[in-house]
Amino acid sequence: MRKKLFLAVLVVGFVATATAFGAEVNKGAKEEVIPAGSQGDVKFPHELHQQALQDCKACHALYPETPNAIPDMKQKGALKPKQVMNQQCVKCHNAKRAAGVKAGPVICSQCHGRHS
Ligand code: HEC
Ligand code: HEC
Ligand code: HEC
């Protein structure tokens, strides 16, 4: 009886430890490239945003943490063209700027590969 209890405690302890330290979060690439049709690709500093915002859901509430999520959803009509740009990128950069803190670009050519 005591031996069984001891074993059970051991197993529970092991599982808890594995969950706490074993399961690494996949943070994806440090830099992402987001296609934007004829406007040209947008280089996106992913790690910088993870550090600055400390909130994955600030972006990934709208699209999942999977490669090519944005172009795939746009293709299926689940995201409109410019939806991410207007509702996230530019919206947040404008809000940060208005708050007088560090922000990102809001000028087309500072994000898009092809100057527009
Ligand atoms: C400011 C917006 C933003 C934040 C915050 C953000 N991400 Fe992302 N993430 C993106 C974008 C944009 C992509 C690229 C989507 C695409 O390829 O269409 C992406 C892609 C990913 C991918 C898949 C692509 C790859 O490189 O493997 C993973 C995994 C991921 N993010 C994890 C995270 C995690 C974990 C956090 C929080 C620690 C986070 N992201 C925070 C915007 C963000
Ligand atoms: C902060 C970065 C950023 C800025 C500034 C920006 N864009 Fe974008 N834009 C993106 C991203 C990322 C996408 C792709 C995701 C999407 O469609 O929402 C995009 C998508 C687009 C698209 C859709 C392309 C397609 O075929 O689906 C157009 C058009 C566009 N941008 C035009 C502009 C114009 C014009 C400006 C300036 C007034 C501008 N963008 C400023 C990041 C930016
Ligand atoms: C919720 C807020 C938020 C969202 C959403 C967001 N950004 Fe930013 N972005 C920031 C902040 C804050 C900074 C300044 C970070 C710093 O310099 O520490 C920044 C900086 C940048 C920079 C400049 C990086 C540098 O090296 O100076 C680029 C480029 C950029 N963002 C692109 C994007 C694009 C493209 C998207 C959409 C896919 C996006 N951002 C979405 C908050 C946001």
Side-chain angles (χ1 to χ4, degrees), residues 34 42 44-45 48-49 53 59 88-89 92-93 102-105:
I34 311 168
V42 174
F44 171 66
L48 178 81
H49 283 82
L53 302 172
C59 299
Q88 292 196 337
C89 318
C92 180
H93 292 172
K102 263 190 167 182

Side-chain angles (χ1 to χ4, degrees), residues 27 44 46-61 63 65 88 96:
K27 291 189 148 191
F44 171 66
H46 196 208
E47 189 181 45
L48 178 81
H49 283 82
Q50 291 174 348
Q51 286 166 354
L53 302 172
Q54 297 289 325
D55 178 15
C56 310
K57 290 291 164 216
C59 299
H60 289 294
Y63 44 91
E65 295 173 7
Q88 292 196 337
K96 297 282 182 193

Side-chain angles (χ1 to χ4, degrees), residues 34-44 70-71 74 79-91 93 104-112 116:
I34 311 168
S38 59
Q39 297 295 315
D41 290 347
V42 174
K43 281 190 195 152
F44 171 66
I70 295 170
K74 280 170 76 173
L79 279 175
K80 292 190 214 97
K82 301 202 271 188
Q83 188 175 343
V84 171
M85 169 180 118
N86 288 329
Q87 288 181 14
Q88 292 196 337
C89 318
V90 174
K91 187 180 180 183
H93 292 172
V106 294
I107 295 166
C108 319
S109 62
Q110 288 180 347
C111 282
H112 289 283
S116 46

